[in-house]
């Protein structure tokens, strides 16, 4: 194992690493990252010295470095300037250590290329110079203030002009001292948004100038760092004149808004009594009456009995409340006796004092649309994607099939088919590919159907087959096996060749149920049983499945009640520094104190919570409780004990950062006091969304740890990309650390990799002093386990680990 792990880590490491003999400096080996840094191939570099390659331009520089290595035996992050193959300078942080190799001392060196950082620093200085020029010459008012107390640090000429204050009067003073904010509550609202890290755009506020006049302004701003301080950079625009023009324009447009709202088949207007006072000429063709016969009448007078009262009340309510009416549909009767449908929208009509004096609006003849909807409703029995019968037609066919079996005898079977892992295809390849796959599956299934069988798609990736005229239940099993075989063959969707499989549940009439709804439910239950037993198979419904489902539902209900009745509690397992044994933090672990069963471990109930969605409120409770406990320990003992909380995959979504922010805010817990532990699979599930989520958590000062590291599939490239702080070595590698060469090599490699990436390493499951000693030798940072700390309740934790 060691012979395979180290070469892979060495050659795949993103950190440049090189081996050379100490006596003559000749390279024995260099990884690809090192060769790429200097621009040499392995053949060109092998056996050469740094002087021969031109990496050290000055022999004295190398001699001094070798002398220091001989003297100190180890160098950490020494700044050096080296040359690449073309003679271009490369700025690096050089770390080296002397090792014994092939019977003689050799140097293993790692380099961190800081050339881009130095280039970035030069660019920063140039950017600052450009910023200063733009700042001074910008026609928009710009001000920079200290975020902590609002003190002005710099303003430009446009701000002086807008506010009426000179730069000397502004710099060093606060806006509240100068009375610039006409409405202090606006400043408070802005400060709150800025504190959350929001980039504010077009924030409106009224500014009091030096002479007491008021300017209407809009502000755009964001937090910047200036000389080590958090500052607010704000750009303001004077919109006083623009707002004045806008108000005048709105007053002018109001006269036309009623006409725009009333665009439609015909225009109408009624007074406060609901009588027509105006109708456009088109109303004659819609209603069939001359306008003279309509004016002075109410719309209700032309409606069928029962419809009139409903519409009369809606129109009256709109007039009294002064609110518009949108898309009111009603029937009315033309003069020729034909019933038509109208869609009516209207707005209140107000006099100069603002009082409602009537309503005006539009009426649209929707009789044709209503007739089409009726026809569509009658024909709406096919699934739009696959053109298979939908649930509505399935229920009808199922009822007919049951009736036929009642009359003629025999059996009827329902096959509930669910595609395995279809969501992965939708998520990875997109919904268009997923839709085309569903169409292809439906075509393949149709080829297996007999005349009289029903194949239906009832939603998502779920299909149902109804088989009638069966002699025995085994016939349904034969059909299910044919379906599994057919779906086991790959399908070509565009440029993708997709492997599919399905899980099938079967229920049989009359043995399993006497009605269609129960047959479907039982087949669905059997399908889930098939999924739980390896997928890609079929299962017949049994009474035991029903009892199991009832038990599962009961347990879910018990868990919901347990959450409501505060039956959950947190235990805390300490983490220690391997160097000096000091306490470094605690991991929060949930327990269920069942009134009858006692303390229930999480493995018994967390999976059910994840399936049912209870993990969301439970996870929120764990976060809030752990944060409050850390704050309580700090207040009671004066000691900071960072807490670590495990995240479930169900919690890792866009709302996570808000949940964490709220928990920290409620507990008033500072940065660095909360660590969230996620698994490697969660980290890699959706790289783009994960990167954004971790960035948001980083802004809150939350540390991120990868739990059970080494058991998943993280790559070095992803570890550098994600904002990860800690690696937790899985206890399975620690258990046989003293005796297993493979486990020893893996742990040593993980520690070395973490050091190169500047990550903290925590070993889990430490139970023996020999394990702890070996981890310390490797350079591991922290450990936890039963050796010095079992999970205990908060009070016991404080008494054992925080007592002074």
């Amino acid at each position: 194992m060691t012979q395979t792990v180290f070469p892979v880590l060495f050659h795949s490491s993103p950190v440049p690493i090189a081996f050379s003999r100490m006596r003559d400096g000749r390279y024995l080996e260099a990884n690809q990252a090192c060769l790429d840094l200097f621009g040499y191939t392995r053949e060109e570099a092998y056996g050469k010295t740094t002087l021969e390659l031109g990496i050290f331009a000055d022999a004295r520089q190398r001699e001094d470095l070798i002398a220091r290595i001989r003297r100190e035996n180890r160098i950490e992050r020494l700044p050096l300037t080296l040359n690449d193959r073309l003679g271009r300078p490369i700025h690096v942080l050089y770390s080296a250590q002397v090792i014994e190799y092939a019977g003689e001392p050799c140097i293993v060196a790692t380099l961190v290329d800081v050339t881009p950082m130095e280039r970035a620093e030069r660019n920063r200085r140039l950017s600052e110079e450009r910023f200063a020029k733009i700042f001074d010459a910008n026609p928009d008012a710009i001000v920079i203030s200290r975020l902590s107390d609002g003190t002005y640090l710099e303003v430009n000429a446009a701000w002086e002009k807008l506010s009426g204050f000179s730069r000397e009067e502004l710099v060093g003073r606060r806006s509240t001292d100068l009375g610039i904010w006409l409405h202090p509550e606006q400043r408070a609202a802005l400060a709150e948004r800025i504190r959350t890290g929001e980039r504010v755009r077009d924030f409106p506020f009224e500014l009091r100038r030096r002479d007491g006049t008021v300017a209407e302004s809009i502000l755009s701003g964001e937090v910047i760092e200036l000389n080590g301080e958090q500052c607010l950079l704000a750009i303001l625009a004077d919109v006083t004149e623009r707002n004045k023009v806008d108000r005048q324009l709105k007053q002018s447009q109001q006269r036309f808004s009623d006409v725009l709202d009333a665009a439609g088949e015909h225009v109408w207007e009624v007074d406060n009594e609901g009588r027509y006072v105006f109708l456009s000429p088109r109303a004659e063709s819609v209603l069939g009456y001359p306008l003279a016969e309509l004016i002075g009448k109410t719309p209700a007078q032309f409606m069928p009995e029962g419809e009139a009262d409903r519409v009369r009340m809606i129109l009256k309510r709109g007039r009294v409340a002064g609110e518009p009416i949108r898309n009111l549909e009603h029937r009315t009767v033309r003069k020729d006796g034909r019933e038509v449908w109208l869609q009516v929208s209207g707005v209140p009509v107000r006099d100069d004092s603002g009082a409602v004096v009537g309503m005006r609006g539009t009426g649209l003849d929707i009789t044709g649309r209503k007739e089409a909807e009726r026809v569509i409703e009658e024909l709406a029995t096919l699934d739009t994607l696959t053109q298979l019968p939908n649930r509505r037609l399935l229920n009808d066919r199922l009822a007919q099939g049951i009736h036929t079996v009642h009359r003629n005898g025999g059996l009827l079977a329902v096959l509930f088919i669910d595609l395995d892992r279809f969501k992965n295809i939708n998520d990875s390849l997109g919904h268009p590919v997923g839709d085309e796959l569903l169409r292809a599956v439906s075509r393949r299934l149709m080829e297996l159907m007999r005349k009289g069988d029903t194949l239906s798609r009832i939603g998502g990736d779920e299909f149902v087959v109804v088989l009638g005229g069966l002699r025995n239940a085994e016939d349904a099993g034969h059909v299910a096996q044919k379906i599994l075989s057919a779906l086991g063959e790959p399908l070509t969707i565009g440029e993708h060749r997709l492997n599919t499989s399905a899980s099938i549940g079967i229920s049989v009439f009359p043995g399993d149920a006497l009605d269609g709804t129960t047959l479907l439910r039982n087949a669905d239950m059997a399908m889930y049983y098939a999924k739980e037993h390896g997928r890609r198979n079929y299962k017949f419904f049994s009474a035991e499945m029903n009892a199991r489902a009832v038990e599962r539902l009961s347990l879910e209900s018990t868990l919901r009640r347990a959450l409501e009745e505060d039956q959950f509690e947190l235990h805390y397992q300490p983490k220690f520094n391997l160097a000096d044994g000091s306490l470094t933090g605690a991991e929060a672990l949930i327990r269920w104190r069942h009134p009858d069963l006692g303390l229930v471990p999480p493995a018994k109930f967390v999976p059910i919570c994840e399936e049912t969605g209870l993990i969301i409120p439970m996870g929120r409770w764990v976060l809030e409780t752990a944060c409050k406990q850390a704050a309580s320990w700090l207040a009671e003992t004066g000691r900071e004990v960072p807490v670590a909380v495990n995240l479930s995959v169900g919690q890792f979504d866009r709302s996570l950062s808000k949940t964490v922010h709220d928990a920290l805010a409620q507990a008033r817990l500072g940065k660095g006091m909360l660590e969230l532990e996620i698994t490697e699979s969660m980290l890699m599930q959706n790289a783009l969304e994960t990167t954004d989520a971790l960035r948001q958590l980083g802004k809150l000062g939350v540390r991120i740890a990868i739990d059970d590291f080494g058991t998943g599939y993280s790559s070095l490239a992803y570890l550098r990309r994600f904002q990860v702080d800690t690696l937790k070595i899985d206890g399975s590698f620690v258990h046989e650390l003293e005796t297993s060469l493979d486990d020893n090599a893996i742990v040593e490699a993980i520690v070395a990799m973490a050091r190169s990436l500047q990550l903290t390493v925590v070993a889990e499951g430490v139970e023996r002093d020999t394990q702890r000693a070996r981890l310390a030798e490797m350079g591991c940072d922290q450990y936890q386990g039963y050796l010095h700390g079992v999970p205990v309740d908060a009070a016991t934790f404080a008494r054992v680990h925080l007592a002074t």
Side-chain angles (χ1 to χ4, degrees):
M1 179 69 178
T2 305
Q3 295 175 344
T4 59
V5 171
F6 280 120
V8 171
L9 287 174
F10 177 79
H11 288 292
S12 65
S13 174
V15 178
I17 309 174
F19 286 89
S20 61
R21 285 198 296 260
M22 182 178 285
R23 59 184 171 83
D24 57 9
R26 296 193 181 279
Y27 281 119
L28 299 178
E29 190 56 274
N31 69 356
Q32 192 60 45
C34 185
L35 295 171
D36 291 343
L37 178 63
F38 293 104
Y40 290 99
T41 65
R42 186 176 182 279
E43 291 74 17
E44 292 171 332
Y46 185 77
K48 302 283 182 41
T49 68
T50 51
L51 291 177
E52 291 171 344
L53 295 172
I55 292 175
F56 280 96
D58 183 357
R60 182 58 180 270
Q61 182 189 21
R62 183 188 178 279
E63 292 171 1
D64 290 344
L65 180 62
I66 294 299
R68 180 172 173 180
I69 294 175
R70 291 180 186 278
R71 186 171 62 253
E72 300 177 9
N73 205 42
R74 186 184 185 96
I75 292 177
E76 293 286 348
R77 301 175 70 82
L78 175 68
L80 288 178
T81 300
L82 306 174
N83 296 324
D84 68 2
R85 180 173 185 166
L86 300 179
R88 294 174 300 194
I90 302 175
H91 305 287
V92 300
L93 295 178
Y94 179 89
S95 300
Q97 183 172 349
V98 178
I99 64 172
E100 194 76 20
Y101 181 74
E104 63 176 317
C106 296
I107 300 171
V108 57
T110 61
L111 302 95
V112 178
D113 184 8
V114 296
T115 307
M117 291 192 298
E118 296 204 357
R119 187 181 302 117
E121 176 61 22
R122 288 196 301 272
N123 291 337
R124 185 188 64 79
R125 289 195 297 270
L126 291 173
S127 176
E128 287 180 353
E129 292 172 3
R130 287 194 294 269
F131 174 79
K133 292 178 182 179
I134 295 171
F135 183 85
D136 292 333
N138 201 301
D140 287 327
I142 306 177
V143 58
I144 301 176
S145 60
R146 189 181 294 122
L147 194 61
S148 59
D149 59 9
T151 300
Y152 287 127
L153 301 179
E154 191 56 83
V155 299
N156 68 351
W159 172 252
E160 292 180 283
K161 181 179 179 182
L162 174 62
S163 67
F165 291 95
S166 67
R167 182 182 180 279
E168 290 71 20
E169 293 174 307
L170 290 166
V171 173
R173 301 183 66 186
R174 296 178 299 181
S175 60
T176 52
D177 298 334
L178 298 169
I180 287 176
W181 287 84
L182 183 65
H183 302 292
E185 64 273 14
Q186 291 180 326
R187 181 184 181 280
L190 175 64
E192 180 61 28
R193 292 174 62 179
I194 291 295
R195 272 194 292 270
T196 63
E198 179 181 351
R199 298 179 66 182
V200 177
R201 292 289 180 268
D202 296 336
F203 180 85
F205 78 98
E206 291 181 292
L207 178 150
R208 183 187 287 111
R209 297 188 179 96
R210 192 178 193 281
D211 60 6
T213 59
V214 175
E216 298 178 52
S217 307
I218 55 173
L219 177 149
S220 296
E222 61 182 275
V223 176
I224 63 172
E225 186 167 315
L226 189 63
N227 298 326
E229 287 188 299
Q230 294 286 303
C231 299
L232 171 63
L233 172 65
I235 302 176
L236 299 95
D238 184 356
V239 294
T240 307
E241 289 302 317
R242 189 187 75 183
N243 286 352
K244 181 180 178 181
V245 172
D246 285 347
R247 285 191 291 270
Q248 292 173 344
L249 182 60
K250 286 180 181 178
Q251 292 171 359
S252 176
Q253 288 177 333
Q254 185 62 44
R255 289 190 289 269
F256 302 98
S257 63
D258 293 341
V259 176
L260 295 176
D261 286 337
E265 282 294 324
H266 65 273
V267 180
W268 54 265
E269 184 173 340
V270 297
D271 60 17
N272 262 341
E273 301 300 321
R275 296 184 294 260
Y276 283 125
V277 295
F278 172 80
L279 282 162
S280 63
R282 192 182 298 270
E284 288 189 347
S285 60
V286 175
L287 301 175
Y289 288 90
L291 295 183
E293 295 183 31
L294 295 169
I295 299 299
K297 302 284 197 328
T298 67
Q301 291 178 256
F302 304 95
M303 297 178 190
E305 193 172 352
E307 188 83 324
D309 293 337
R310 179 179 72 89
V311 176
R312 188 185 296 111
M313 290 302 298
I314 293 174
L315 290 174
K316 182 178 180 181
R317 191 160 56 240
R319 292 196 306 273
V320 172
E323 295 176 350
I325 295 171
R326 301 296 183 196
N327 301 326
L328 167 63
E329 295 182 359
H330 69 82
R331 292 170 295 140
T332 193
V333 180
R334 289 168 48 89
K335 189 173 184 176
D336 58 10
R338 183 164 59 91
E339 190 172 276
V340 295
W341 277 92
L342 297 181
Q343 184 182 76
V344 174
S345 296
V347 295
V349 178
R350 300 178 185 273
D351 61 16
D352 294 337
S353 67
V356 176
V357 295
M359 297 195 78
R360 68 166 64 97
T362 62
L364 179 66
D365 184 353
I366 59 170
T367 306
R369 192 191 79 190
K370 282 290 186 180
E371 180 63 17
E373 288 176 354
R374 184 186 64 79
V375 174
I376 291 172
E377 179 66 22
E378 293 177 354
L379 298 177
T381 56
L382 298 180
D383 172 53
T384 57
L385 180 66
T386 63
Q387 297 304 300
L388 294 176
N390 61 13
R391 186 182 291 271
R392 178 177 177 180
L393 183 55
L394 169 67
N395 290 334
D396 182 64
R397 296 272 182 88
L398 190 52
Q400 292 179 22
I402 291 173
H403 179 73
T404 300
V405 171
H406 267 304
R407 187 178 63 244
N408 301 331
L411 300 174
L412 176 143
V414 173
L415 280 62
F416 199 111
I417 306 168
D418 185 273
L419 299 184
D420 296 330
R421 299 184 177 89
F422 175 74
K423 184 177 183 297
N424 293 343
I425 295 175
N426 260 349
D427 292 344
S428 58
L429 301 180
H431 288 279
V433 173
D435 289 346
E436 189 55 44
L437 174 63
L438 292 173
R439 283 190 283 265
V441 166
S442 68
R443 290 192 294 269
R444 185 166 287 186
L445 291 176
M446 278 301 299
E447 295 173 358
L448 304 176
M449 297 298 103
R450 306 169 303 169
K451 185 178 181 181
D453 293 341
T454 295
L455 171 64
S456 168
R457 175 176 176 250
I458 61 173
D461 58 341
E462 296 176 335
F463 297 83
V464 172
V465 174
V466 178
L467 304 175
L470 301 180
R471 292 188 301 274
N472 52 64
E474 287 73 17
D475 292 342
H478 295 323
V479 175
Q481 188 56 56
K482 289 181 181 180
I483 292 173
L484 292 175
S485 299
L487 296 183
E489 295 295 324
L491 287 164
T492 301
I493 307 298
E495 60 184 15
H496 305 287
R497 184 174 173 82
L498 303 178
N499 293 309
T500 60
S501 65
S503 300
I504 304 175
I506 305 173
S507 64
V508 180
F509 174 86
D512 294 332
L514 298 177
D515 61 272
T517 300
T518 309
L519 275 172
L520 279 171
R521 186 179 69 240
N522 291 347
D524 186 15
M525 196 179 303
M527 180 274 294
Y528 276 105
Y529 194 74
K531 280 190 178 293
E532 291 176 2
H533 287 73
R535 304 174 187 269
R536 201 186 293 266
N537 62 59
Y538 66 89
K539 294 289 182 183
F540 282 91
F541 172 78
S542 66
E544 290 77 14
M545 289 184 195
N546 191 51
R548 187 166 175 264
V550 171
E551 180 184 1
R552 186 65 168 264
L553 188 63
S554 175
L555 184 56
E556 178 185 344
S557 176
T558 304
L559 280 169
R560 291 185 186 276
R561 188 167 62 253
L563 194 61
E564 295 170 357
E565 297 178 356
D566 293 328
Q567 294 179 11
F568 294 103
E569 59 185 61
L570 291 186
H571 283 195
Y572 299 87
Q573 184 174 35
K575 294 188 289 186
F576 301 99
N577 188 304
L578 265 166
D580 58 17
S582 61
L583 181 71
T584 60
E587 180 178 357
L589 302 167
I590 191 168
R591 298 290 188 266
W592 179 13
R593 191 167 293 281
H594 193 281
D596 300 322
L597 303 178
L599 208 59
V600 181
K604 297 289 187 181
F605 60 87
V606 167
I608 298 174
C609 292
E610 289 177 335
E611 291 177 15
T612 60
L614 279 173
I615 197 67
I616 301 301
M618 179 181 291
R620 187 183 304 114
W621 177 86
V622 171
L623 271 171
E624 293 172 354
T625 304
C627 289
K628 289 176 183 176
Q629 186 58 64
S632 176
W633 282 333
L634 179 60
E636 294 171 1
T637 68
R639 296 184 61 180
E640 291 188 349
V641 184
V643 290
V645 174
N646 291 278
L647 286 185
S648 166
V649 66
Q651 297 171 260
F652 208 70
D653 57 20
R654 294 180 179 177
S655 65
L656 176 61
S657 61
K658 183 180 185 307
T659 301
V660 173
H661 171 271
D662 292 346
L664 291 171
Q666 289 176 15
R668 298 182 179 178
L669 202 60
K671 292 186 176 181
M673 291 291 288
L674 175 63
E675 183 172 70
L676 298 179
E677 296 188 6
I678 62 177
T679 63
E680 293 176 86
S681 58
M682 289 167 60
L683 188 73
M684 305 291 291
Q685 200 168 49
N686 189 322
L688 289 177
E689 290 188 7
T690 301
T691 301
D692 183 62
L694 295 184
R695 187 180 299 113
Q696 295 298 324
L697 292 171
K699 290 180 180 179
L700 298 175
V702 176
R703 293 175 59 82
I704 301 298
I706 302 181
D707 197 15
D708 301 333
F709 186 77
T711 61
Y713 48 83
S714 294
S715 70
L716 294 177
Y718 273 107
L719 285 180
R720 295 184 67 191
R721 172 180 176 182
F722 294 124
Q723 294 184 1
V724 173
D725 304 288
T726 303
L727 299 183
K728 298 193 72 176
I729 301 174
D730 186 68
S732 62
F733 300 123
V734 177
H735 185 62
E736 302 295 336
L737 188 62
E738 313 99 308
T739 58
S740 170
L741 293 177
D742 288 344
D743 288 348
N744 197 77
I746 291 172
V747 173
E748 200 166 37
I750 293 174
V751 172
M753 177 185 66
R755 280 192 171 277
S756 69
L757 296 175
Q758 300 181 346
L759 303 178
T760 300
V761 186
V762 180
E764 297 182 292
V766 177
E767 300 178 352
R768 298 184 292 274
D769 273 318
T770 50
Q771 294 171 336
R772 183 189 60 76
R774 182 67 189 111
L775 288 165
E777 290 175 6
M778 293 180 179
C780 184
D781 299 302
Q782 302 175 25
Y783 74 98
Q784 66 183 97
Y786 282 14
L787 175 62
H788 289 135
V790 299
V792 293
D793 60 70
T796 305
F797 186 96
R799 186 174 64 255
V800 174
H801 301 290
L802 301 181
T804 55

